[in-house]
Amino acid sequence: QVQLVESGGGLVQAGGSLRLSCAVSGRVFDLTAVEWYRRGSERKRDLVASITTDGIRNYADSVKGRFTISRDDVNNVAYLQMNNLNPEDTGVYFCKAKFKLYADYWGRGTQVTVSS
């Protein structure tokens, strides 16, 4: 059984930083990538950043240079370091785990609110 537990969200002023965590358990041997999505006021989930088990990283244009995705393979945790936050970054951040032989799995999300 796969479990994803996100944490690290909160309220921060513009220009501030937060670090989100996504702890993955179950089927980690089959994991191929971890992705972070944001659901903003438009209620759709947009890809923010991704990292593969080979270490390949991708970022949305809006967060390049401000956000960094990383992973701890020992503890099976993926991180999203978010710096220089602005109000447009506000939303619910979801972690998604992708597997080779299993369906993608979503976490429940963590709220990030950036005040101006």
Side-chain angles (χ1 to χ4, degrees):
Q1 186 72 16
V2 176
Q3 275 196 319
L4 298 184
V5 178
E6 298 120 326
S7 60
L11 173 64
V12 64
Q13 287 189 328
S17 298
L18 285 172
R19 188 176 80 156
L20 306 183
S21 299
C22 173
V24 183
S25 60
R27 294 193 70 91
V28 292
F29 61 91
D30 199 33
L31 189 67
T32 61
V34 175
E35 299 173 341
W36 283 99
Y37 287 77
R38 176 177 62 236
R39 187 183 70 198
S41 58
E42 295 184 357
R43 309 299 292 176
K44 62 183 178 70
R45 297 185 186 188
D46 294 318
L47 181 64
V48 174
S50 64
I51 185 167
T52 70
T53 49
D54 294 330
I56 298 172
R57 295 170 170 84
N58 281 294
Y59 298 94
D61 287 342
S62 62
V63 306
K64 283 180 181 176
R66 300 188 298 122
F67 290 13
T68 302
I69 190 169
S70 61
R71 69 181 197 276
D72 175 350
D73 291 335
V74 174
N75 297 300
N76 297 309
V77 180
Y79 299 100
L80 185 66
Q81 177 67 43
M82 307 187 295
N83 298 329
N84 194 20
L85 285 160
N86 59 61
E88 289 71 34
D89 296 317
T90 292
V92 180
Y93 283 71
F94 296 88
C95 173
K96 183 172 82 171
K98 298 175 70 70
F99 300 92
K100 191 180 300 183
L101 299 173
Y102 194 74
D104 295 349
Y105 200 87
W106 291 88
R108 293 187 174 186
T110 184
Q111 176 71 44
V112 171
T113 303
V114 185
S115 63
S116 56

